[in-house]
Amino acid sequence: MKQLIVTIIGKDKPGLVEQLSDTVYLNHANWVSSSLSQLGGQFAGIIQIEVAAQYVITLRQALTAIEDLHIHIVDDHTQTAVPYIAQQLTVTGNDRRGIVKEVTQHLTLLGVNIAKLKTDTRSAPNWGYPIFVAEFQLHTPPEINTDMIQQQLEQLADDLTIDIETLS
């Protein structure tokens, strides 16, 4: 079986995920894993698909033929797993330009890989000014402990709250 990674972007509309899942199913493939999202009227996603070698070409053709979507397909050449500790990092603070840049820069310096990132800006309860929240799923090298990450990130600004939790 071949593993394919499919990235999708296009204007959101009802039935889009069904159309993608039908295409996968009708071309003898299995939808293994995905992360799909809608932001500002646009749909974006990434899907891992498993398919027998004899169906790869027809599946690729069927997916790229879907109208109004930009689809990119690559073979999954997963490398040998590097040991890591999975952690959840939440950064909360007054919204300002550059928070994501600063946090990701410090994580990179520590050798931490960002597996997932979700950000949002919301109104602060009782205050009304915007609060920025970033939720990171991290893959941390075993030699980097939670305290090291916390220390590095707390130096960024006094108004940032840093919460780190090791996932099991």
Side-chain angles (χ1 to χ4, degrees), residues 84-90 107 112-118 134-140 167:
Y84 66 83
I85 298 167
Q87 295 181 317
Q88 179 72 33
L89 165 67
T90 304
L107 292 173
V112 174
N113 187 42
I114 299 167
K116 212 178 252 190
L117 170 60
K118 181 179 179 183
E135 296 173 352
F136 295 82
Q137 186 179 31
L138 305 177
H139 291 175
T140 305
L167 304 173

Side-chain angles (χ1 to χ4, degrees), residues 83-158:
Y84 66 83
I85 298 167
Q87 295 181 317
Q88 179 72 33
L89 165 67
T90 304
V91 177
T92 308
N94 296 324
D95 187 34
R96 64 177 168 76
R97 187 172 169 259
I99 296 174
V100 174
K101 178 200 176 309
E102 293 168 1
V103 171
T104 57
Q105 183 178 31
H106 281 276
L107 292 173
T108 299
L109 290 172
L110 291 169
V112 174
N113 187 42
I114 299 167
K116 212 178 252 190
L117 170 60
K118 181 179 179 183
T119 64
D120 193 18
T121 305
R122 26 187 110 123
S123 181
N126 302 324
W127 298 99
Y129 56 84
I131 295 292
F132 179 79
V133 179
E135 296 173 352
F136 295 82
Q137 186 179 31
L138 305 177
H139 291 175
T140 305
E143 64 273 11
I144 303 296
N145 64 44
T146 303
D147 292 337
M148 294 169 75
I149 297 170
Q150 185 102 24
Q151 241 177 2
Q152 279 288 316
L153 298 179
E154 284 180 346
Q155 294 176 18
L156 293 175
D158 291 338

Side-chain angles (χ1 to χ4, degrees), residues 33-53:
S33 182
S34 64
S35 180
L36 309 171
S37 189
Q38 185 267 358
L39 287 172
Q42 293 295 304
F43 175 86
I46 186 166
I47 306 168
Q48 180 182 12
I49 297 172
E50 185 177 67
V51 61

Side-chain angles (χ1 to χ4, degrees), residues 2-5 48 60 74-80:
K2 301 273 289 176
Q3 299 285 318
L4 301 177
I5 303 299
Q48 180 182 12
R60 283 178 180 267
V74 295
D75 289 341
D76 181 9
H77 298 292
T78 306
Q79 299 174 347
T80 307

